Amino acid sequence: MTMGDALCALNPVYGQGMTVSLLSALELGRQMAQEGKTSQKRFDELVAGPWLTVAGEDLRVPGCTLENVSAMARLTMTLNGILGDRVMFRATFDPDAHQRAMRVLHMVDPPSALIPLALPRVV
């Protein structure tokens, strides 16, 4: 079974490596307690969101490229960047948006929790 940096090495600038390692350890404990065996697929799913987020941010740096990344993953990274920018701007003046963004940045909630914040507000 693959875990930690062997499974997903993240750019340390974003500070997600320790969180992903902890989430992986918790997942390992869950799998062993429930099934007595592990599923690599679940670990892959666990790191997919954080990896797409940091890789998308890395791609904003001029000259940065990624190899062997599907068109769907690149589209996801682009949309994450656009939506993330909207949410972060809103978080500068909306306390609820700030709180929800912090929960996602600290990987308590999934990135999908920010989608409603990125949409235009209906009054």
Side-chain angles (χ1 to χ4, degrees):
M1 176 190 53
T2 307
M3 285 182 60
D5 282 345
L7 174 63
C8 181
L10 300 169
N11 184 334
V13 169
Y14 304 110
Q16 293 179 320
M18 292 296 291
T19 304
V20 170
S21 294
L22 178 59
L23 292 173
S24 296
L26 291 171
E27 179 60 28
L28 175 62
R30 255 192 307 277
Q31 288 183 20
M32 294 305 293
Q34 291 176 355
E35 303 162 21
K37 60 182 182 175
T38 61
S39 164
Q40 188 65 47
K41 181 179 180 194
R42 179 63 193 120
F43 287 103
D44 293 344
E45 292 167 354
L46 183 80
V47 300
W51 185 85
L52 284 170
T53 300
V54 299
E57 287 301 312
D58 284 346
L59 283 177
R60 292 181 185 219
V61 176
C64 182
T65 61
L66 290 174
E67 296 178 12
N68 303 320
V69 176
S70 71
M72 182 58 80
R74 286 181 186 279
L75 176 61
T76 301
M77 288 180 216
T78 301
L79 291 175
N80 277 349
I82 293 168
L83 295 177
D85 289 347
R86 290 180 61 121
V87 169
M88 289 311 194
F89 174 72
R90 184 170 168 184
T92 64
F93 60 85
D94 180 341
D96 178 56
H98 175 80
Q99 192 70 14
R100 290 167 69 178
M102 290 300 103
R103 290 183 58 83
V104 170
L105 287 173
H106 290 89
M107 300 176 73
V108 174
D109 293 334
S112 59
L114 296 179
I115 292 173
L117 295 174
L119 301 174
R121 290 170 48 172
V122 178
V123 182

